[in-house]
Amino acid sequence: IHCLCAAQDLVKSHLMYAVREEVEVLKEQIKDLMDRNSLLERENSLLRSLANKEQLSQLHAQMRSAGSSGGSSGSPHTSTSTA
């Protein structure tokens, strides 16, 4: 019985260690994604402030047509975010 309890404790401690490691990795990924999102939001705001009304209208039209045709609605954002 003692060996069984010791084995269970060992498995439990290994699982807890693995879970803690995974949580740290996920926290880092979340931080990186939040930073990237913030950067893209600032870039988007800047680009919108530099665009004229006609360009913004064209962008909205492209986004609507991409969304209705089953295409990726994020593609206009992607092309502007890498500029």
Side-chain angles (χ1 to χ4, degrees), residues 19-65:
V19 167
R20 282 190 198 104
E21 275 192 344
E22 187 65 21
V23 166
E24 289 305 314
V25 168
L26 292 172
K27 281 182 181 179
E28 189 63 32
Q29 287 178 344
I30 289 169
K31 180 188 173 299
D32 291 344
L33 289 170
M34 289 177 71
D35 291 344
R36 175 110 172 103
N37 186 56
S38 178
L39 174 69
L40 290 172
E41 284 177 349
R42 287 193 306 271
E43 184 177 338
N44 187 35
S45 179
L46 174 65
L47 291 171
R48 284 181 183 273
S49 73
L50 297 174
N52 61 40
K53 290 187 185 294
E54 183 182 336
Q55 290 169 324
L56 289 175
S57 295
Q58 289 174 351
L59 176 64
H60 290 299
Q62 286 176 348
M63 289 171 61
R64 279 194 300 274
S65 68

